[in-house]
C-alpha cells in the first residue's frame, strides 16, 4: 500500500521548515520498505480521498488570517481525522489555529478551529520566547527542539505533551509544553521536530501502520540517520544544561 501524508497550507505554514516533518515521515516509511507520498493541501480542493497522517506547520502573524481561511475549508475533515485517530502534528501558529483561538498583542482575536483545547494569549511579560526547548513526555520520552513564539498557551493544562526540562513551553508558570488529544498533537517544538526526535516519528509511523493493518519496522538506513540525530540531541541537551539519566 501507499501511505499518504498531507501537509496543510505549506505555502503559508512552513516558516521554520516545519511542513518538512511530512518528508521525515515519508522517508522513514520508504526506508522501511513502504511506499509514501506527500500531498501539499492548500485548500479543500486539494484533499486526497484518504490520509494516513497530517502535518500543520508554523507561520507568521501576517499569515494568520489567510491560513485560517484555508484551514477552515478543511474543518470537517480535521475534526473527523482527530476523532478517527489519524495522527495530526501541528506546530507553532499551525497549532494555535487548531485551538479555540488566538489573542493578538493589539487586542484582536483570531478564532481557531477548536480541534484542540486551549487558546494562545500574549505573553504577560511581553517580548518573544526563543531558545532551546527540552520536554519530558510520558508517551514519547525526552523531546528536543527550539521555541520561537510571542504567545503563551492556556486552558489546556490537563492534556500537555509533556513537562518542561529546559525552556518556557506553554508559559504562565505551567511547566508544561504542548497539548495532546488522542493522536492530535500541538507543540512549540521546531527543528523540524520529527528529524530531531526519531522516537516521536516512529511512534506516529507505528500508529499509521497499525491503522492500515501492516507492520512498521525501521529500515537499516534509519539507524544511520538516527545516529546523526542522537549527536544533535546530545549537543543541544549539553547546551541547555540537561543531563539525562544513563
Amino acid at each position: 500500500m501507499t501511505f499518504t501524508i498531507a501537509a496543510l497550507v505549506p505555502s503559508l505554514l512552513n516558516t521554520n521548515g516545519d511542513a518538512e516533518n511530512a518528508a521525515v515521515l515519508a522517508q522513514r516509511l520508504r526506508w522501511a520498505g513502504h511506499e509514501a507520498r506527500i500531498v501539499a493541501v492548500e485548500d479543500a480542493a486539494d484533499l486526497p480521498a484518504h490520509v494516513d497522517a497530517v502535518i500543520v506547520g508554523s507561520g507568521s502573524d501576517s499569515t494568520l488570517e489567510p491560513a485560517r481561511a484555508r484551514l477552515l475549508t478543511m474543518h470537517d475533515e480535521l475534526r473527523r481525522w482527530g476523532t478517527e485517530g489519524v495522527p495530526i502534528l501541528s506546530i507553532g501558529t499551525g497549532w494555535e489555529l487548531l485551538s479555540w483561538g488566538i489573542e493578538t498583542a493589539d487586542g484582536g482575536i483570531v478564532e481557531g478551529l477548536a480541534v484542540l483545547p486551549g487558546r494562545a494569549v500574549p505573553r504577560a511579560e511581553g517580548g518573544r520566547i526563543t531558545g532551546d526547548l527540552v520536554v519530558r513526555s510520558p508517551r514519547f520520552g525526552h523531546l528536543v527542539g527550539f521555541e520561537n513564539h510571542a504567545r503563551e498557551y492556556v486552558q489546556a493544562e490537563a492534556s500537555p505533551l509533556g513537562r518542561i526540562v529546559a525552556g518556557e513551553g506553554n508559559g504562565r508558570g505551567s511547566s508544561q509544553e504542548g497539548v495532546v488529544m488522542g493522536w492530535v498533537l500541538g507543540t512549540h517544538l521546531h527543528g523540524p521536530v520529527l528529524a530531531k526526535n526519531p522516537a516521536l516519528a516512529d511512534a506516529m509511523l507505528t500508529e499509521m501502520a497499525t491503522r492500515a493493518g501492516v507492520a512498521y519496522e525501521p529500515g537499516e538506513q534509519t539507524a544511520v540517520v538516527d545516529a546523526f540525530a542522537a549527536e544533535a540531541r546530545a549537543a543541544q541537551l549539553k547546551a541547555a544544561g540537561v543531563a539525562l539519566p544513563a
Side-chain angles (χ1 to χ4, degrees):
M1 65 165 293
T2 299
F3 286 90
T4 299
I5 303 155
L8 303 191
V9 199
S11 65
L12 300 177
L13 297 176
N14 195 19
T15 299
N16 297 284
D18 296 307
E20 305 313 317
N21 283 297
V24 176
L25 292 176
Q27 189 58 64
R28 293 178 80 85
L29 282 167
R30 294 175 188 130
W31 286 333
H34 297 290
E35 298 293 326
R37 66 171 183 148
I38 300 169
V39 179
V41 180
E42 295 294 346
D43 58 37
D46 298 329
L47 283 169
H50 171 81
V51 300
D52 296 287
V54 177
I55 302 296
V56 190
S58 185
S60 64
D61 279 9
S62 64
T63 63
L64 279 177
E65 290 287 2
R68 176 190 179 274
R70 296 196 196 180
L71 289 174
L72 197 58
T73 69
M74 312 170 220
H75 181 260
D76 290 349
E77 286 80 7
L78 281 160
R79 299 282 294 216
R80 174 170 56 81
W81 293 330
T83 300
E84 292 177 351
V86 174
I88 301 174
L89 175 63
S90 57
I91 304 100
T93 53
W95 160 31
E96 293 176 345
L97 287 167
L98 298 190
S99 76
W100 294 334
I102 302 165
E103 298 176 18
T104 59
D106 61 4
I109 295 178
V110 178
E111 292 294 331
L113 275 67
V115 175
L116 283 167
R119 65 179 63 251
V121 299
R123 287 196 71 204
E125 298 85 1
R128 298 190 70 81
I129 300 170
T130 59
D132 289 326
L133 179 59
V134 182
V135 182
R136 184 176 66 252
S137 168
R139 286 176 67 180
F140 308 115
H142 281 85
L143 305 174
V144 305
F146 70 91
E147 57 184 334
N148 180 10
H149 52 104
R151 284 183 288 271
E152 298 171 308
Y153 201 85
V154 298
Q155 299 177 307
E157 288 75 14
S159 52
L161 175 64
R163 305 287 294 183
I164 295 297
V165 178
E168 295 294 328
N170 293 353
R172 299 288 168 114
S174 68
S175 299
Q176 296 179 344
E177 161 56 19
V179 64
V180 173
M181 188 179 71
W183 271 101
V184 186
L185 315 176
T187 183
H188 293 107
L189 286 162
H190 302 293
V193 62
L194 296 185
K196 285 193 170 184
N197 299 278
L200 175 57
D202 281 347
M204 292 181 65
L205 290 166
T206 298
E207 180 63 19
M208 292 163 59
T210 299
R211 286 175 45 81
V214 299
Y216 170 74
E217 293 290 341
E220 292 183 9
Q221 183 61 30
T222 305
V224 176
V225 173
D226 288 357
F228 293 121
E231 291 182 9
R233 286 166 57 84
Q236 183 169 347
L237 290 167
K238 182 178 179 180
V242 176
L244 299 184

